[in-house]
Amino acid sequence: MVQSHPVPTVAEWAVSGLTNREIAERLHISVRTVAGHLYRIFNEIGVTSRAQLPAALTPGSGRDGHPDPLPAPGNPQDFP
């Protein structure tokens, strides 16, 4: 049985500054798989770039000191 790698690890390594290639080498997966994980993570948390990841993954990063709720999937009007 092939064990899958946790998606949060990919996001954490991306935040730490590793490239997709470096993440892929550490997880023994393809660069394209890393890119796919990041694409899904970006959509899930509502960011469009790596530069936005640290703030989005930091607890209490919402405007009122609490995390902003995630938009419902498939509802484009919920995205800023």
Side-chain angles (χ1 to χ4, degrees):
M1 178 167 135
V2 176
Q3 195 169 14
S4 64
H5 299 285
V7 175
T9 301
V10 173
E12 291 166 359
W13 281 342
V15 167
S16 76
L18 294 179
T19 65
N20 287 7
R21 181 172 304 283
E22 292 167 330
I23 295 168
E25 289 171 359
R26 288 180 183 212
L27 295 175
H28 304 287
I29 59 177
S30 74
V31 174
R32 188 170 176 131
T33 300
V34 172
H37 283 309
L38 289 172
Y39 176 81
R40 286 187 290 283
I41 292 166
F42 285 12
N43 283 333
E44 183 178 324
I45 63 177
V47 300
T48 57
S49 72
R50 278 181 183 243
Q52 296 171 325
L53 273 178
L57 297 177
T58 302
S61 62
R63 290 178 290 280
D64 61 356
H66 300 290
D68 291 329
L70 294 175
N75 291 331
Q77 68 272 14
D78 290 340
F79 290 94

